Structure formats: structure tokens, C-alpha cells
Amino acid sequence: MVFVRCVVLYSLVGMLLLFGRFTEQLSIPLKRMKSPLHMMMEVGTDFEQVEELERAMWNKPPKPKYNDSVALFKYLDNEFYGEIGLGHPAQKVKMIFDTAWANTYVASEKCSYFNIACRLHNRYDAKKSTTYVKDGTPFNVDLGSSNLTGFLSTDRLNIGHLVVENQTFAEIVKLPMIYLFSIADGVVGLAYDSLSIDNVVPVFYNIMKQNLIKAPPIFSFYINRDRTTDRGGNLILGASEKKHYNGSFTYLPVTKKEYWQFHMDKIDVDLGTKLIPFCENGCEALIDTSTTTITGPASEIEKIHEILPVSPFVLGRYRVPCNKVIKLPAIHFVLQGKNFTLKGPDYVQEITKWGFTVCLSALVGNEASNIWSLGASFIAQYYTEFDMKSDRIGFAKANI
Ligand SMILES: *[C@@H]1O[C@H](CO)[C@@H](O)[C@H](O)[C@H]1NC(C)=O
Ligand SMILES: *[C@@H]1O[C@H](CO)[C@@H](O)[C@H](O)[C@H]1NC(C)=O
Ligand SMILES: *[C@@H]1O[C@H](CO)[C@@H](O)[C@H](O)[C@H]1NC(C)=O
Ligand SMILES: *[C@@H]1O[C@H](CO)[C@@H](O)[C@H](O)[C@H]1NC(C)=O
Ligand SMILES: *[C@@H]1O[C@H](CO)[C@@H](O)[C@H](O)[C@H]1NC(C)=O
């Protein structure tokens, strides 16, 4: 969900950079991260490959496919993103695919020269696209401390091998400072259209309307949190990929067609000798593919952290000594009477930046909502299928 992610996670990485030096945690650089300078040099990368692919498509309109897939990459065990193209010739941008948000937005070439967060990202330039159609409707999202501001535009959108025509999205001209810490240039919303700002038709609705895949209206996520690789998994359009899960799906009906929301029976923290229950009389939950965290009502998350060997960190987050992660209790999310279990390492984020590593509980309290939100920590263990035909969500044990 855009709001939680922005405020909690981006500022978290910022804080890490500021405070990392002064806290006494382990410092094991696991892999080299790109420096901001390096990233700046990459701004405006070459589009040749996409153009070439597109030229081929231009001459021969694509036939509907049964399914398609987009490779995901990850950044700081925090952000999962994939590349799409906008306009013709296609301009490559890195996008987060967000099931808890319905709109698509991207940094705009029209943002001010002084908006650093925007200038350090790839930006969509309508002037360079022959398929651009002007819209101009104002777009504004209040993030609390700042606003995400821009206007709507319509253009071609390449996703995987699919070419979506006339996709309306927001060009962002005021990108809040916290986005400096995000590697993505924007977001593709995959929630229900009832959540869409300015009544824009979301990308997946257009894929189905334009018959780009012949399959049923489903998409699915495979998330890979293997710390030795930057490959973050796949977004699969029109199918679930058998090689990435074992056994069959447990399906839960969508309880409110805005978010991908469903009913959760209970949560048990398993101390071995006893189970400590949370969400005791059942609760509502949703799947959020934009973040690694699992959020829940602040009071309940607080109580869970009282049980765990954690200490308060910054921004309401909790730190786990990295050598204790393996000993953390399992947490069972009970769905339709079945345990969906996360072990300690599954619900810990290990963030390494500039040689500093910190292990953080992925559980985050939310003061604003009673709905639990399960992110990539959960999906990495349970392959997730989003089914718009039957309005249901399916989980199956991920095959890592
Ligand atoms: C942010 O958005 C809110 C709600 O639309 C609006 O009331 C407020 O004036 C905006 N703030 C800025 C700084 O534009
Ligand atoms: C896109 O919009 C143009 C102009 O409005 C229209 O001619 C064309 O048929 C549309 N394409 C699709 C696939 O909807
Ligand atoms: C995707 O579609 C192709 C045919 O285009 C089919 O052979 C393949 O099995 C499909 N994959 C899945 C995961 O359904
Ligand atoms: C979940 O697993 C725990 C530990 O094995 C067990 O005690 C509990 O009964 C299970 N709950 C369900 C609903 O199967
Ligand atoms: C999935 O099944 C395969 C083959 O049966 C097995 O090798 C693998 O360990 C299983 N993975 C999980 C996560 O259970």
C-alpha cells in the first residue's frame, strides 16, 4: 500500500543511512549496492532493446497469449520491482507492482529541475512518444507529510510481451523526498478498480478488455527472498506457474472488492510449549505486494514484539539481533482452519546499506487501520494467485 510503504519504509532506509554508523550492530556487507552516483549515471538508460522488440511488434501486431510473465528484482530486501515500457518508442521504467493500490503512476519529465527525488529517477517524457494522448486531469495523493502530485496522461504500456494501448496513468511532477530511497520510478496498481483515483481503468482490466491474454483473469506472484541474488521473483499474468508451488491452492473469497481482502481466522505465535493467539475472533487481512512487511493493528503488533527478543529501533520498527533470528518462534496465520506458517527468518528483513547490516522484524504496527496486511514476507512462503473471475485469493506452499 503506497502510504505505509512510503512513510515507514523509505524513511527507514534514510534513517539507516543516518544512524547506521552510530548503532552497534553487526556489519556484514552481503552484496555491493549501487551508489547514488552510479544510479544517477543510469538515469536515462538506453532503450534500444525495448525499441527493437517494439519495432518487431509494430510490424506484426501481437496475437493474444495464454499467459505472460514479468521478471521482478529486489532492492534492500525491501522493494520488489520490474521493468515496463511507456509510449512509443518504449521508455523503460522500473515499477513496483502493487496489489494494494489501483492506479499507475510514474515520475514525469515535467517535474521541476529542483525536485531531486524525481530527477534521480527515470522519467516518462510524453514529447518523445508518438502514441501519447493528452488528458491533463489533476492527480493528487495526500501522503500525510507530503503529497504525490501530477496529472493524468494516456499512452501505450508494454508489460512483459504484452502491449496495452491507451493506458491512462499519472505523470508525477512532485515526488516527495522520501522517494529518494526508492529504486522504482513508479507503481503499477493491481487492486480492484473501485479503489482507483480519478476512475482510471487499471492496467490488468485493460489487459483483459483488449484480449491480450486468452486465459482467465488471474495473475499471480512468485517472490524470491534468497539473499544471495537480486532476482526477486515473477509476476505472472493469466496463470499460476506450477514449478513455483507445491500441492494445491487454498482459496479465500475476497470479502471487499477494493483491496485483495479476505478473512483470517486467527494468528498464533508458537512458543513450542504454548500458542499465544492474536486476531482472536477473526479479522480482515489483505495482500500487499509492494512491501516486505506485515502490518497489523498497532496494539497487537506491540504485544507480539513483547514476546519476541527484539529491541525498539527507529520509526516504530523493532530490531532483532541477527544471530537470534533463527531462534524466533514460528507464527501461524490460520486461514480456513489451516496453518500458514512463517519461521523466524521469514519475517525478518535483513537490510544492508553501505556496509551496515541490520535485522528488523518485518512486523509493523499500523495506527490507522485494523486490517492486517501481508507482504512479500508471506508471499515468499506462499505463492499467491489473484483471481478476478471468481473474486478469490489462492495460497499454495511456494517451491523456492
Ligand atoms: C495535499 O492534499 C490534500 C488533500 O487533497 C490537500 O488538502 C492539501 O492542500 C495538499 N497539500 C499540498 C502541500 O499540496
Ligand atoms: C486507443 O484510442 C484510439 C483513439 O482514441 C482508438 O482509435 C483506438 O482504437 C484505441 N485502441 C484500443 C486498443 O482501445
Ligand atoms: C502459458 O501458455 C503457453 C501457451 O502459450 C502454455 O504452453 C503454458 O503451459 C502456459 N503456462 C502456464 C503456467 O499456464
Ligand atoms: C498449527 O500448528 C501448531 C503447531 O504445530 C498446532 O499446535 C496448531 O494446532 C496448528 N493449528 C491449526 C489450525 O492447524
Ligand atoms: C516441492 O516438491 C518437490 C518435488 O516433490 C520437492 O523436491 C520440494 O522439496 C518441495 N518443496 C517444498 C517447499 O515443499
Side-chain angles (χ1 to χ4, degrees):
M1 196 174 332
V2 162
F3 314 102
V4 175
R5 182 165 48 78
C6 282
V7 178
V8 178
L9 295 169
Y10 293 170
S11 35
L12 172 76
V13 176
M15 293 295 239
L16 271 177
L17 301 185
L18 291 175
F19 296 127
R21 242 166 236 287
F22 308 108
T23 51
E24 85 288 359
Q25 76 251 189
L26 297 175
S27 60
I28 312 164
L30 286 187
K31 59 182 180 236
R32 254 181 88 78
M33 290 295 172
K34 283 173 186 156
S35 69
L37 180 67
H38 194 148
M39 278 164 65
M40 191 156 48
M41 284 160 63
E42 280 189 355
V43 169
T45 43
D46 67 41
F47 303 130
E48 272 171 38
Q49 266 187 320
V50 173
E51 274 179 47
E52 199 177 308
L53 187 72
E54 227 215 350
R55 230 173 280 130
M57 285 173 167
W58 187 247
N59 296 330
K60 207 173 93 190
K63 286 203 200 83
K65 297 169 69 81
Y66 284 95
N67 56 60
D68 202 357
S69 97
V70 185
L72 300 178
F73 300 88
K74 64 179 181 298
Y75 179 61
L76 295 177
D77 190 20
N78 188 10
E79 211 173 317
F80 293 82
Y81 64 91
E83 251 166 11
I84 67 162
L86 282 174
H88 176 78
Q91 302 173 27
K92 253 204 269 184
V93 285
K94 298 188 180 81
M95 303 290 260
I96 288 169
F97 299 94
D98 188 345
T99 53
W101 172 258
N103 291 78
T104 292
Y105 68 78
V106 67
S108 171
E109 185 56 36
K110 296 192 181 74
C111 66
S112 150
Y113 193 77
F114 299 102
N115 189 308
I116 301 165
C118 182
R119 297 319 281 191
L120 284 180
H121 282 100
N122 297 311
R123 297 172 302 281
Y124 164 76
D125 187 353
K127 280 207 299 282
K128 290 191 180 146
S129 172
T130 59
T131 42
Y132 161 70
V133 179
K134 192 178 154 78
D135 182 313
T137 308
F139 180 86
N140 176 53
V141 184
D142 192 347
L143 299 176
S145 54
S146 53
N147 289 20
L148 196 61
T149 307
F151 56 90
L152 300 183
S153 286
T154 298
D155 208 333
R156 179 182 289 183
L157 185 151
N158 296 58
I159 177 169
H161 301 92
L162 309 179
V163 182
V164 185
E165 300 291 352
N166 303 331
Q167 178 63 49
T168 300
F169 56 91
E171 281 193 51
I172 301 301
V173 293
K174 267 161 79 186
L175 201 60
M177 229 16 206
I178 38 175
Y179 278 79
L180 255 183
F181 303 109
S182 167
I183 204 166
D185 309 311
V187 169
V188 172
L190 292 171
Y192 281 94
D193 60 358
S194 53
L195 210 60
S196 176
I197 297 169
D198 291 342
N199 291 316
V200 173
V201 179
V203 172
F204 194 68
Y205 285 73
N206 275 331
I207 289 177
M208 297 318 298
K209 250 202 316 214
Q210 295 176 22
N211 270 315
L212 302 180
I213 49 178
K214 290 195 242 175
I218 66 170
F219 58 89
S220 61
F221 274 86
Y222 155 63
I223 293 285
N224 172 13
R225 291 187 67 215
D226 178 353
R227 299 202 161 96
T228 59
T229 166
D230 284 338
R231 271 304 307 272
N234 283 95
L235 158 62
I236 296 121
L237 302 163
S240 282
E241 209 160 20
K242 192 78 196 76
K243 70 175 177 208
H244 288 309
Y245 64 92
N246 276 4
S248 53
F249 281 103
T250 298
Y251 286 107
L252 289 94
V254 171
T255 47
K256 194 173 181 193
K257 283 166 62 176
E258 289 180 355
Y259 296 109
W260 287 95
Q261 186 175 332
F262 52 93
H263 182 76
M264 181 149 68
D265 303 345
K266 198 163 65 129
I267 296 172
D268 283 321
V269 177
D270 191 340
L271 297 184
T273 49
K274 61 176 174 178
L275 300 175
I276 315 274
F278 293 89
C279 156
E280 269 190 90
N281 300 310
C283 54
E284 289 293 294
L286 58 86
I287 294 291
D288 181 351
T289 51
S290 74
T291 168
T292 304
T293 57
I294 291 177
T295 66
S299 59
E300 296 226 84
I301 295 287
E302 194 71 23
K303 282 190 204 129
I304 294 179
H305 281 138
E306 282 169 18
I307 305 173
L308 306 179
V310 296
S311 52
F313 192 55
V314 291
L315 295 159
R317 296 293 302 263
Y318 285 82
R319 201 174 125 200
V320 192
C322 291
N323 60 357
K324 287 201 180 147
V325 170
I326 196 80
K327 295 178 197 144
L328 291 174
I331 300 180
H332 308 295
F333 295 84
V334 184
L335 304 172
Q336 287 192 350
K338 287 186 216 158
N339 271 345
F340 289 78
T341 303
L342 296 189
K343 299 201 188 90
D346 303 338
Y347 63 86
V348 167
Q349 282 175 284
E350 190 178 290
I351 296 182
T352 300
K353 184 80 183 169
W354 295 347
F356 302 101
T357 295
V358 60
C359 291
L360 294 173
S361 162
L363 304 170
V364 179
N366 184 351
E367 301 279 357
S369 170
N370 281 327
I371 302 177
W372 285 78
S373 167
L374 311 183
S377 306
F378 186 83
I379 307 164
Q381 304 307 316
Y382 298 99
Y383 187 106
T384 306
E385 180 180 289
F386 302 82
D387 181 344
M388 260 188 188
K389 181 165 177 244
S390 310
D391 295 315
R392 61 184 189 174
I393 304 171
F395 300 112
K397 184 78 193 102
N399 188 12
I400 302 154

